Coordinates of all heavy atoms in Angstrom, one line a residue:
M1 N 140.2 130.8 55.3 CA 139.7 131.9 56.0 C 139.1 131.4 57.3 O 138.4 130.5 57.4 CB 138.6 132.6 55.2 CG 137.8 133.7 55.9 SD 136.5 134.3 54.8 CE 135.3 134.7 56.0
T2 N 139.4 132.1 58.3 CA 138.8 131.8 59.6 C 138.2 133.1 60.1 O 138.9 134.2 60.1 CB 139.9 131.3 60.6 OG1 140.4 130.1 60.1 CG2 139.3 131.0 62.0
G3 N 137.0 133.1 60.6 CA 136.4 134.3 61.1 C 134.9 134.3 61.0 O 134.3 133.2 60.8
S4 N 134.3 135.4 61.1 CA 132.8 135.5 61.1 C 132.3 136.0 59.8 O 133.0 136.9 59.2 CB 132.4 136.4 62.2 OG 132.7 135.9 63.5
V5 N 131.2 135.5 59.4 CA 130.5 136.0 58.2 C 129.1 136.3 58.6 O 128.4 135.5 59.2 CB 130.5 134.9 57.0 CG1 129.7 135.4 55.9 CG2 131.9 134.6 56.6
P6 N 128.6 137.5 58.2 CA 127.2 137.9 58.7 C 126.1 137.0 58.0 O 126.3 136.6 56.9 CB 127.0 139.3 58.2 CG 128.1 139.6 57.2 CD 129.2 138.6 57.5
V7 N 125.1 136.7 58.8 CA 123.9 136.0 58.3 C 122.8 137.1 58.2 O 122.6 137.9 59.1 CB 123.5 134.9 59.3 CG1 122.2 134.2 58.8 CG2 124.6 133.9 59.4
Y8 N 122.1 137.0 57.0 CA 121.1 138.1 56.7 C 119.7 137.6 57.2 O 119.5 136.5 57.6 CB 121.2 138.4 55.2 CG 122.5 139.0 54.8 CD1 123.6 138.3 54.5 CD2 122.6 140.4 54.9 CE1 124.8 138.9 54.2 CE2 123.8 141.0 54.6 CZ 124.9 140.2 54.2 OH 126.1 140.8 54.0
K9 N 118.8 138.5 57.1 CA 117.4 138.2 57.5 C 116.8 137.0 56.9 O 115.9 136.4 57.4 CB 116.5 139.4 57.3 CG 116.8 140.6 58.2 CD 115.9 141.8 58.0 CE 116.3 142.9 58.8 NZ 115.4 144.1 58.6
N10 N 117.2 136.7 55.7 CA 116.7 135.5 55.0 C 117.4 134.2 55.4 O 117.2 133.2 54.8 CB 116.8 135.7 53.4 CG 118.2 135.9 53.0 OD1 119.2 135.8 53.7 ND2 118.4 136.1 51.7
D11 N 118.3 134.3 56.4 CA 119.1 133.2 57.0 C 120.1 132.7 56.0 O 120.7 131.6 56.2 CB 118.2 132.0 57.4 CG 117.3 132.3 58.6 OD1 117.8 133.1 59.4 OD2 116.2 131.8 58.8
F12 N 120.5 133.4 55.0 CA 121.6 133.1 54.1 C 122.8 133.9 54.5 O 122.7 135.0 55.0 CB 121.2 133.4 52.7 CG 120.3 132.4 52.0 CD1 119.0 132.4 52.2 CD2 120.9 131.3 51.3 CE1 118.2 131.4 51.6 CE2 120.1 130.4 50.7 CZ 118.7 130.4 50.9
M13 N 124.0 133.4 54.2 CA 125.2 134.1 54.3 C 125.8 134.2 52.9 O 125.5 133.3 52.0 CB 126.2 133.4 55.2 CG 126.5 132.0 54.9 SD 127.7 131.3 56.0 CE 129.1 131.4 55.0
Y14 N 126.6 135.2 52.7 CA 127.1 135.4 51.3 C 128.6 135.4 51.5 O 129.2 136.2 52.2 CB 126.7 136.8 50.8 CG 125.2 136.8 50.6 CD1 124.4 137.3 51.6 CD2 124.6 136.3 49.5 CE1 123.0 137.3 51.5 CE2 123.2 136.3 49.3 CZ 122.4 136.8 50.4 OH 121.0 136.8 50.2
L15 N 129.3 134.4 50.8 CA 130.7 134.3 50.8 C 131.2 134.2 49.4 O 130.8 133.3 48.6 CB 131.0 133.0 51.6 CG 132.5 132.6 51.7 CD1 133.3 133.7 52.5 CD2 132.7 131.2 52.4
W16 N 132.0 135.2 49.0 CA 132.5 135.2 47.6 C 133.8 134.5 47.6 O 134.7 134.9 48.3 CB 132.6 136.6 47.1 CG 131.3 137.3 47.1 CD1 130.7 138.1 48.1 CD2 130.2 137.1 46.1 NE1 129.5 138.5 47.7 CE2 129.1 137.9 46.5 CE3 130.1 136.4 44.9 CZ2 128.0 138.0 45.8 CZ3 129.0 136.5 44.2 CH2 127.9 137.3 44.6
L17 N 134.0 133.5 46.7 CA 135.2 132.7 46.6 C 135.8 133.0 45.2 O 135.1 133.1 44.2 CB 134.9 131.2 46.8 CG 134.3 130.9 48.1 CD1 133.8 129.4 48.1 CD2 135.2 131.1 49.2
P18 N 137.2 132.9 45.1 CA 137.8 133.1 43.8 C 137.5 132.0 42.9 O 137.2 130.8 43.3 CB 139.3 133.0 44.2 CG 139.4 133.3 45.7 CD 138.1 132.8 46.2
R19 N 137.5 132.3 41.6 CA 137.2 131.3 40.5 C 138.3 130.3 40.4 O 139.5 130.5 40.8 CB 137.1 132.0 39.2 CG 135.9 132.9 39.1 CD 135.8 133.4 37.7 NE 134.6 134.3 37.6 CZ 134.2 134.9 36.5 NH1 134.9 134.7 35.4 NH2 133.1 135.6 36.5
D20 N 137.9 129.1 39.8 CA 138.9 128.1 39.4 C 139.7 127.5 40.6 O 140.9 127.2 40.4 CB 139.8 128.6 38.3 CG 139.0 129.0 37.1 OD1 138.0 128.4 36.8 OD2 139.5 130.0 36.4
Q21 N 139.0 127.3 41.7 CA 139.7 126.7 42.9 C 138.7 125.7 43.6 O 137.5 125.7 43.3 CB 140.1 127.8 43.8 CG 141.2 128.7 43.3 CD 141.7 129.7 44.3 OE1 141.9 129.4 45.5 NE2 142.0 130.9 43.8
T22 N 139.3 124.9 44.4 CA 138.5 124.0 45.3 C 138.7 124.4 46.7 O 139.8 124.6 47.2 CB 139.1 122.6 45.1 OG1 138.9 122.2 43.7 CG2 138.3 121.6 45.9
F23 N 137.6 124.4 47.5 CA 137.6 124.9 48.8 C 136.9 123.8 49.7 O 135.9 123.2 49.3 CB 136.9 126.2 49.0 CG 137.5 127.3 48.3 CD1 137.1 127.6 47.0 CD2 138.5 128.1 48.9 CE1 137.7 128.7 46.3 CE2 139.1 129.2 48.2 CZ 138.7 129.4 46.9
Q24 N 137.5 123.6 50.9 CA 136.8 122.8 51.9 C 136.2 123.8 52.9 O 136.9 124.6 53.6 CB 137.8 121.9 52.6 CG 137.2 120.9 53.5 CD 136.4 119.8 52.7 OE1 136.7 119.6 51.5 NE2 135.4 119.3 53.3
V25 N 134.9 123.9 52.9 CA 134.2 124.9 53.7 C 133.5 124.3 54.9 O 132.8 123.3 54.8 CB 133.1 125.6 52.8 CG1 132.3 126.6 53.7 CG2 133.8 126.3 51.7
K26 N 133.8 124.8 56.1 CA 133.2 124.3 57.3 C 132.6 125.5 58.0 O 133.2 126.5 58.2 CB 134.3 123.7 58.2 CG 133.8 123.1 59.5 CD 134.9 122.5 60.3 CE 134.5 121.8 61.5 NZ 135.6 121.2 62.2
I27 N 131.3 125.3 58.4 CA 130.5 126.3 59.1 C 130.1 125.8 60.4 O 129.6 124.6 60.5 CB 129.2 126.7 58.3 CG1 129.6 127.2 56.9 CG2 128.4 127.7 59.1 CD1 128.5 127.4 56.0
T28 N 130.4 126.5 61.5 CA 130.0 126.1 62.8 C 129.3 127.2 63.5 O 129.5 128.4 63.3 CB 131.3 125.8 63.7 OG1 132.1 126.9 63.8 CG2 132.1 124.6 63.1
H29 N 128.4 126.8 64.4 CA 127.7 127.7 65.3 C 127.2 127.0 66.5 O 126.5 126.0 66.4 CB 126.4 128.3 64.6 CG 125.7 129.3 65.4 ND1 124.6 129.0 66.2 CD2 125.9 130.6 65.6 CE1 124.2 130.0 66.8 NE2 124.9 131.1 66.5
D30 N 127.7 127.4 67.7 CA 127.5 126.7 68.9 C 128.0 125.3 68.8 O 129.1 125.1 68.4 CB 126.0 126.8 69.4 CG 125.6 128.3 69.7 OD1 126.5 129.1 70.1 OD2 124.4 128.6 69.5
D31 N 127.1 124.3 69.0 CA 127.5 122.9 68.9 C 127.2 122.3 67.5 O 127.2 121.1 67.4 CB 126.9 122.1 70.0 CG 127.4 122.5 71.4 OD1 128.6 122.9 71.4 OD2 126.7 122.3 72.4
N32 N 126.8 123.1 66.6 CA 126.3 122.6 65.3 C 127.4 122.9 64.2 O 128.1 123.9 64.3 CB 125.0 123.2 64.9 CG 123.9 122.9 65.9 OD1 123.7 121.8 66.2 ND2 123.3 124.0 66.4
E33 N 127.5 122.0 63.2 CA 128.4 122.3 62.1 C 128.0 121.6 60.9 O 127.2 120.6 60.9 CB 129.9 121.9 62.5 CG 130.1 120.4 62.6 CD 131.6 120.2 62.9 OE1 132.2 120.8 63.8 OE2 132.1 119.3 62.3
T34 N 128.5 122.0 59.8 CA 128.4 121.4 58.5 C 129.7 121.7 57.7 O 130.4 122.7 57.9 CB 127.2 122.0 57.7 OG1 127.0 121.2 56.5 CG2 127.3 123.4 57.4
E35 N 130.0 120.7 56.8 CA 131.3 120.8 56.0 C 131.0 120.2 54.7 O 130.4 119.2 54.5 CB 132.4 120.1 56.8 CG 133.7 120.3 56.1 CD 134.9 119.8 57.0 OE1 134.6 119.2 58.1 OE2 136.0 119.9 56.6
T36 N 131.6 120.9 53.6 CA 131.5 120.4 52.3 C 132.6 121.0 51.4 O 133.2 122.0 51.8 CB 130.1 120.7 51.7 OG1 129.9 119.9 50.5 CG2 130.0 122.2 51.3
E37 N 132.8 120.3 50.3 CA 133.8 120.8 49.3 C 133.0 121.7 48.3 O 132.0 121.3 47.8 CB 134.5 119.6 48.6 CG 135.5 120.1 47.6 CD 136.2 118.9 47.0 OE1 135.6 118.2 46.1 OE2 137.3 118.5 47.5
I38 N 133.6 122.8 48.0 CA 132.9 123.7 47.1 C 134.0 124.0 45.9 O 135.1 124.4 46.2 CB 132.5 125.1 47.7 CG1 131.4 124.8 48.7 CG2 132.0 126.1 46.7 CD1 130.9 126.0 49.5
L39 N 133.5 123.8 44.7 CA 134.3 124.1 43.5 C 133.9 125.3 42.9 O 132.7 125.6 42.8 CB 134.2 122.9 42.6 CG 134.5 121.5 43.1 CD1 134.2 120.4 42.1 CD2 136.0 121.4 43.6
T40 N 134.8 126.1 42.3 CA 134.4 127.4 41.7 C 134.9 127.4 40.2 O 135.3 128.5 39.7 CB 135.0 128.6 42.4 OG1 136.4 128.5 42.5 CG2 134.5 128.6 43.9
F41 N 134.8 126.3 39.5 CA 135.1 126.2 38.1 C 134.0 126.6 37.2 O 132.8 126.7 37.7 CB 135.7 124.8 37.8 CG 137.0 124.5 38.6 CD1 136.9 123.8 39.8 CD2 138.2 125.0 38.1 CE1 138.1 123.6 40.5 CE2 139.4 124.7 38.9 CZ 139.3 124.0 40.1
K42 N 134.2 126.7 36.0 CA 133.2 127.2 35.0 C 131.8 126.7 35.2 O 130.8 127.4 35.2 CB 133.7 127.0 33.6 CG 132.8 127.6 32.5 CD 133.3 127.3 31.1 CE 132.2 127.9 30.1 NZ 132.5 127.4 28.8
D43 N 131.6 125.4 35.2 CA 130.3 124.8 35.3 C 129.8 124.4 36.6 O 128.7 123.7 36.8 CB 130.3 123.5 34.4 CG 130.5 123.9 32.9 OD1 130.0 124.9 32.4 OD2 131.2 123.1 32.2
D44 N 130.4 124.9 37.7 CA 130.0 124.6 39.1 C 128.9 125.6 39.5 O 128.8 126.7 39.0 CB 131.2 124.7 40.0 CG 132.1 123.6 39.8 OD1 131.7 122.4 39.7 OD2 133.4 123.9 39.7
P45 N 128.0 125.1 40.4 CA 126.9 126.0 40.8 C 127.5 127.2 41.6 O 128.5 127.2 42.2 CB 126.1 125.1 41.8 CG 127.0 124.0 42.2 CD 128.0 123.8 41.1
T46 N 126.7 128.3 41.5 CA 127.2 129.6 42.1 C 126.4 129.9 43.4 O 126.7 130.8 44.1 CB 127.0 130.8 41.2 OG1 125.6 130.9 40.8 CG2 127.9 130.6 39.9
C47 N 125.4 129.0 43.7 CA 124.6 129.2 44.9 C 124.5 127.8 45.6 O 123.9 126.9 45.0 CB 123.3 129.8 44.6 SG 122.2 130.0 46.0
I48 N 125.1 127.7 46.7 CA 125.1 126.4 47.5 C 124.0 126.5 48.6 O 124.1 127.4 49.5 CB 126.4 126.1 48.1 CG1 127.5 126.2 47.1 CG2 126.4 124.8 48.8 CD1 127.5 125.3 45.9
T49 N 123.0 125.7 48.5 CA 121.9 125.8 49.5 C 121.7 124.5 50.2 O 120.7 124.3 50.9 CB 120.5 126.1 48.8 OG1 120.3 125.1 47.8 CG2 120.6 127.5 48.1
T50 N 122.7 123.6 50.1 CA 122.5 122.3 50.7 C 123.2 122.2 52.1 O 123.1 121.2 52.8 CB 123.1 121.2 49.8 OG1 124.4 121.5 49.4 CG2 122.2 121.1 48.6
M51 N 124.0 123.2 52.5 CA 124.7 123.1 53.8 C 123.8 123.5 54.9 O 123.3 124.7 54.9 CB 125.9 124.0 53.7 CG 127.0 123.6 52.8 SD 128.4 124.7 52.8 CE 129.2 124.1 54.3
Q52 N 123.5 122.6 55.8 CA 122.6 122.9 56.9 C 123.3 122.5 58.2 O 123.9 121.5 58.3 CB 121.3 122.1 56.8 CG 120.5 122.5 55.6 CD 119.2 121.7 55.5 OE1 118.9 121.0 56.4 NE2 118.5 121.9 54.4
L53 N 123.2 123.4 59.2 CA 123.8 123.1 60.5 C 123.0 122.0 61.2 O 121.8 122.0 61.2 CB 123.8 124.4 61.4 CG 124.7 125.5 60.9 CD1 124.5 126.7 61.8 CD2 126.2 125.1 61.0
K54 N 123.8 121.0 61.7 CA 123.1 119.9 62.4 C 123.8 119.7 63.7 O 124.9 120.0 64.0 CB 123.3 118.6 61.5 CG 122.6 118.7 60.2 CD 122.8 117.4 59.4 CE 122.1 117.6 58.1 NZ 122.2 116.4 57.3

């Protein structure tokens, strides 16, 4: 997916991903970015709070 995702007043964004897949997620804003692999299998976390723009 390429495009924009809204950021809410709590500074979180909500991105729903299909189950049982592996994703490489990259977030950019101006000159800042963060990137990580997100897994959506049964025992994986459903809320990722470790991605911070640097």
Side-chain angles (χ1 to χ4, degrees):
M1 174 182 147
T2 300
S4 297
V5 175
V7 175
Y8 294 87
K9 290 181 183 181
N10 61 3
D11 291 329
F12 281 84
M13 56 177 258
Y14 300 92
L15 178 64
W16 299 99
L17 299 171
R19 290 184 181 185
D20 300 327
Q21 295 185 39
T22 301
F23 297 90
Q24 193 66 29
V25 176
K26 182 177 184 179
I27 300 170
T28 60
H29 182 265
D30 295 332
D31 292 332
N32 302 306
E33 71 177 46
T34 184
E35 187 170 1
T36 194
E37 183 176 80
I38 296 178
L39 307 172
T40 61
F41 297 95
K42 182 181 177 192
D43 294 324
D44 291 314
T46 58
C47 181
I48 309 298
T49 59
T50 55
M51 294 181 77
Q52 297 181 4
L53 292 171
K54 296 181 181 181

